Amino acid sequence: MTHSLVCPETVSRVSSVLNRNTRQFGKKHLFDQDEETCWNSDQGPSQWVTLEFPQLIRVSQLQIQFQGGFSSRRGCLEGSQGSQALRKIADFYPEDNNSLQTFPIPAAEVDRLKVTFEDATDFFGRVVIYHLRMLGEKV
């Protein structure tokens, strides 16, 4: 059965936070299910989110809700097990809108994931995400 794989024990990191204001724009807002909060990156050529899970997972879908005007045109999902190097799992191509977008992912068993957002629609390279979900199952 497919369900959200991010749990309280999942360790997350992000490339940047707008003005280093983690209280208002920090990574915790990616997973809080609150429509009023978001992660807002600072400017840069690409932005990323890493997730380290407490056990092996089999990811099957990626869901993202951007703020229109602050999305990316291209993304890459990478994963690994243990101390192995990250390897590409899938590329995805988001639309520049406010909708929750779902991307099917080829089944991969990993305990680390990295989502990289490239070619931002914002001139300065900022990305704003209200929801980020990894769906699948524990292995």
Side-chain angles (χ1 to χ4, degrees):
M1 179 167 162
T2 301
H3 62 276
S4 177
L5 297 168
V6 176
C7 65
E9 293 79 33
T10 303
V11 176
S12 61
R13 292 181 179 83
V14 293
S15 52
S16 63
V17 176
L18 184 65
N19 299 326
R20 296 190 174 139
N21 185 346
T22 57
R23 173 181 242 163
Q24 188 172 2
F25 301 119
K27 63 186 179 182
K28 65 185 175 209
H29 299 304
L30 287 168
F31 314 109
D32 64 6
Q33 307 300 315
D34 186 342
E35 299 291 328
E36 302 296 318
T37 64
C38 62
W39 168 57
N40 193 332
S41 76
D42 215 334
Q43 58 188 12
S46 70
Q47 304 297 333
W48 51 262
V49 176
T50 62
L51 300 169
E52 295 178 19
F53 298 91
Q55 74 283 322
L56 277 180
I57 53 119
R58 184 177 299 118
V59 63
S60 59
Q61 289 183 0
L62 167 64
Q63 290 185 333
I64 307 171
Q65 184 177 7
F66 292 98
Q67 177 177 320
F70 293 90
S71 66
S72 74
R73 294 179 185 94
R74 184 177 63 252
C76 178
L77 179 67
E78 299 171 287
S80 68
Q81 291 183 17
S83 60
Q84 295 176 347
L86 291 168
R87 61 179 172 76
K88 185 189 290 191
I89 297 171
D91 290 316
F92 58 95
Y93 300 91
E95 295 180 21
D96 185 17
N97 62 38
N98 299 328
S99 302
L100 183 65
Q101 301 177 54
T102 301
F103 303 96
I105 303 297
E109 292 184 7
V110 298
D111 60 9
R112 288 190 315 145
L113 287 171
K114 181 177 184 181
V115 186
T116 304
F117 304 100
E118 303 166 341
D119 196 13
T121 57
D122 174 60
F123 179 76
F124 297 103
R126 296 169 295 188
V127 173
V128 178
I129 299 177
Y130 283 87
H131 300 293
L132 178 66
R133 297 184 187 123
M134 295 293 167
L135 302 178
E137 57 192 12
K138 295 177 183 175
V139 176

